[in-house]
Each structure stands twice: as structure tokens, then as C-alpha cells.
Amino acid sequence: QVQLVESGGGLVQPGGSLRLSCVPSENIFGASSMGWSRQPPGKEREFVARISFAGTTNYADSVRGRFTISRDNAKNTVYLQMDSLKPEDTAVYYCYYNRGARDYWGQGTQVTVSS
């Protein structure tokens, strides 16, 4: 069982920035990929960004060019830098760790974009 701890959420004004962090209980290089999904109020969970074992990144169209996923090997941490935030980015953001056929999820962190 892999446990994930997310942090960095909060309230920000439109156009602002936040950086989310995700620390797994196991080495990030034990994962085939890690990433972020989000669940807006009243909607289903949706993919946001992913970084593979090899370092390849993928983004949802809605965040490409504004969000950046990265990892710090020394800190065993994956980050989601979110810039130019919009009200429609408001959601609970979940980190995941994929190993084989299994995804492990964090508890989520709330991001609210509002003036």
C-alpha cells in the first residue's frame, strides 16, 4: 500500500499561482508514473497532468501552458506548479502513484480560485 500526502492547496485570486506537492511513502522511481487529477464541484474526476518514470510529461488541454508537473528526486516529491489560475480550476486535486495495474491516491487538497 502506497500512501500519498498532498499539500499546497488554498484560496487564490484569478491569475494567481499555487504549487502543489505530493510525497509518496515509497520511492517515486518505483512508480510507472505519477500525476494529478482533479474533481471540480459537482463534476467527475478528470486528468490534469502526468510524469512518467522516464520523465515524459502529459497535460490536459485545459491546463497545458499554465501548469507544470515536475519531480525532485532528492526530496522524493512530485510538484504541480499552477500559474494563471482561473475560476474553473477550482477543484479538489488528487495525486496518484501508478505501479503496474494499480493506482494509489492521496486524500486530496482543495484549490479555490476566486476573487
Side-chain angles (χ1 to χ4, degrees):
Q1 184 78 7
V2 179
Q3 296 182 338
L4 301 155
V5 178
E6 300 125 327
S7 61
L11 173 64
V12 63
Q13 293 186 342
S17 298
L18 283 174
R19 188 178 76 162
L20 305 183
S21 300
C22 175
V23 182
S25 59
E26 298 191 14
N27 193 289
I28 60 175
F29 286 103
S32 299
S33 66
M34 289 187 65
W36 295 87
S37 291
R38 66 186 182 186
Q39 187 165 15
K43 298 184 179 180
E44 294 186 352
R45 193 175 296 192
E46 61 187 24
F47 167 76
V48 175
R50 171 174 55 234
I51 185 165
S52 74
F53 174 86
T56 302
T57 57
N58 301 97
Y59 297 93
D61 290 342
S62 59
V63 307
R64 187 176 293 112
R66 300 188 298 121
F67 291 11
T68 304
I69 189 169
S70 63
R71 63 191 178 197
D72 185 323
N73 303 339
K75 295 183 178 179
N76 201 50
T77 301
V78 172
Y79 300 100
L80 184 68
Q81 177 66 42
M82 304 186 294
D83 298 319
S84 302
L85 283 161
K86 304 175 181 180
E88 51 263 45
D89 294 318
T90 295
V92 178
Y93 284 71
Y94 297 91
C95 175
Y96 72 88
Y97 181 109
N98 172 264
R99 185 170 62 194
R102 182 83 185 265
D103 285 338
Y104 299 88
W105 294 90
Q107 80 286 352
T109 185
Q110 177 70 46
V111 171
T112 302
V113 185
S114 175
S115 55

